[in-house]
Amino acid sequence: MATVKKLEEHPIASIFPRLTETALKQLAAHIREKGLLEPIWLYEGKILDGRHRYQACLLAGVPVITRIFSGSPLEAIQHVWAVNKLRRHLNPSQAAIADSKRQQMSDLYAPVKAAARERASQAAGKPRGKKKQPSPRQLIDEETPSTR
């Protein structure tokens, strides 16, 4: 039997509250019966979205299917918010806490995006790579007066 690598949760995944033990067991039973319908999203090698599906797969003995999220930290936050906001059926208090955590995460990662934007704008003003050297024939043509 293959050993499954234990995956850690990305801090962004903590925007939304954990499922109760009962809800996790129900999810595991559903996944055991139907299979994993939505893959686990990984970002920076950690679980971005699907930490409960991951735990339920382990409980149910079902293979874990993953996808890699490739975007900026702010895009990762937006992804987690978009796929979980309605799915999770939060009460007003839980929704307010999740929104507050989302804003805190956005504030935390905003300087990262700003720094990347600054590096990109600086790189745009610099020449890329080495300047192409003229061939020996071009040098000869430039040094030899034209006979036209």
Side-chain angles (χ1 to χ4, degrees):
M1 184 174 182
T3 306
V4 177
K5 177 187 170 195
K6 180 162 174 39
L7 296 172
E8 295 179 37
E9 296 175 11
H10 196 283
I12 293 172
S14 70
I15 289 173
F16 287 91
R18 294 191 168 281
L19 290 181
T20 64
E21 193 66 31
T22 301
L24 184 60
K25 287 178 181 176
Q26 290 172 342
L27 180 59
H30 183 268
I31 288 176
R32 188 179 302 111
E33 180 184 334
K34 305 283 185 185
L36 180 62
L37 302 177
E38 174 67 24
I40 312 304
W41 285 92
L42 303 179
Y43 182 61
E44 299 176 338
K46 298 177 181 178
I47 298 172
L48 175 66
D49 177 59
R51 60 188 172 160
H52 300 113
R53 293 189 304 277
Y54 172 73
Q55 292 170 336
C57 284
L58 297 180
L59 286 173
V62 172
V64 174
I65 300 167
T66 61
R67 282 192 181 159
I68 306 297
F69 182 86
S70 57
S72 71
L74 291 177
E75 290 168 331
I77 292 166
Q78 291 168 351
H79 173 80
V80 168
W81 186 256
V83 298
N84 285 286
K85 183 179 174 189
L86 296 176
R87 179 198 303 168
R88 292 297 303 276
H89 306 288
L90 304 177
N91 66 39
S93 176
Q94 290 172 317
I97 291 169
D99 190 41
S100 175
K101 286 183 177 182
R102 177 179 63 101
Q103 189 58 52
Q104 289 171 357
M105 286 285 179
S106 296
D107 292 346
L108 177 70
Y109 285 109
V112 174
K113 186 169 185 173
R117 193 178 308 119
E118 177 65 25
R119 285 191 304 274
S121 68
Q122 288 176 351
K126 295 180 182 177
R128 292 185 177 177
K130 294 181 179 179
K131 185 177 179 182
K132 186 177 176 183
Q133 296 296 321
S135 70
R137 180 70 189 157
Q138 288 171 322
L139 291 172
I140 292 171
D141 288 345
E142 287 175 8
E143 294 173 359
T144 307
S146 174
T147 55
R148 291 186 208 166

